[in-house]
Amino acid sequence: MEEIYKKIKDLRLQKGYTLKELSKRTELSISFLSQVERGATSLAITSLKKIADALNVKISEFFEDETPNQNFMVKTCEHKPFNIKGSEFTYVRVNGEFSGRSLEPLLVTLAPNQKQTQQYGHAGEEFYYVLKGFVIFHVDGKEYIVREGDSIHFPSTCLHTVENPINKESRLLCVLTPVIF
């Protein structure tokens, strides 16, 4: 995470923005942005997206190494589960690494009876394929029951939530745009 905080500050300075200017562009407080740049607070993915947009860069730039890495294959032993602040789900990145990629494939695990409470809408598309269990998607005011082997694909601009209504873990393959990691 330290690299991300440093990149935020470096990009802000390269653009010639003060913290006050970045605050206006992101609608995030100056004190919060200062804490982010110092690594004194955690950063939700939604806040990072606002910062990336304000700095006119892809959010993935905060996660890229300086040297381009071309690794097309991801082995199971390389899967590293992670959580995102503000999200209850567990994610695993399953994408190859190369310059200019436009898809973000993830494995998403929903714990038993887990429910997303806040609706989201943002640029891009989302595709989900249920590998195990079943989930209920609420997309643009309509409910979709998506069972093992079923899929759902929708524009991310539609307000949406997902829940796992069963007493067992559900697992999904998710492919989204734009690239966020």
Side-chain angles (χ1 to χ4, degrees), residues 130 132-136 145-148 163-166 170:
V130 179
K132 175 181 158 188
F134 84 88
V135 294
I136 299 173
I145 297 173
V146 188
R147 300 181 190 285
E148 193 170 310
E163 68 179 282
N164 178 10
I166 60 176
S170 289

Side-chain angles (χ1 to χ4, degrees), residues 4 19 29 43 45 59 61 82 107 120 142 164:
I4 293 171
L19 282 171
S29 73
L43 182 62
I45 197 75
I59 198 169
E61 190 163 321
F82 66 95
L107 292 176
Y120 291 97
K142 188 171 179 189
N164 178 10

Side-chain angles (χ1 to χ4, degrees), residues 101-176:
R101 72 182 177 89
S102 58
L103 298 176
E104 187 72 75
L106 301 161
L107 292 176
V108 183
T109 303
L110 287 76
N113 301 304
Q114 196 170 31
K115 183 177 184 175
Q116 192 176 33
T117 54
Q118 185 176 351
Q119 289 189 336
Y120 291 97
H122 46 87
E125 295 180 45
E126 298 187 31
F127 169 85
Y128 294 89
Y129 177 85
V130 179
L131 299 165
K132 175 181 158 188
F134 84 88
V135 294
I136 299 173
F137 279 87
H138 300 271
V139 181
D140 213 17
K142 188 171 179 189
E143 182 176 281
Y144 299 89
I145 297 173
V146 188
R147 300 181 190 285
E148 193 170 310
D150 293 342
S151 62
I152 186 169
H153 183 196
F154 55 90
S156 302
T157 53
C158 297
L159 290 178
H160 55 280
T161 61
V162 63
E163 68 179 282
N164 178 10
I166 60 176
N167 290 326
K168 295 181 181 177
E169 181 178 275
S170 289
R171 196 157 195 214
L172 311 149
L173 171 64
C174 168
V175 181
L176 8 125

Side-chain angles (χ1 to χ4, degrees), residues 6-60:
K6 183 180 179 335
K7 282 185 180 183
I8 290 170
K9 184 173 184 176
D10 290 346
L11 283 168
R12 177 181 63 81
L13 294 173
Q14 283 175 14
K15 302 274 184 187
Y17 297 159
T18 64
L19 282 171
K20 185 176 180 179
E21 288 170 311
L22 188 57
S23 173
K24 284 181 185 176
R25 292 173 177 270
T26 60
E27 298 178 352
L28 300 170
S29 73
I30 294 170
S31 62
F32 174 74
L33 291 169
S34 175
Q35 289 176 351
V36 166
E37 287 186 358
R38 289 180 285 126
T41 188
S42 58
L43 182 62
I45 197 75
T46 52
S47 297
L48 185 58
K49 176 72 172 124
K50 287 179 180 181
I51 293 168
D53 290 346
L55 296 171
N56 200 27
V57 296
K58 285 192 223 175
I59 198 169
S60 61

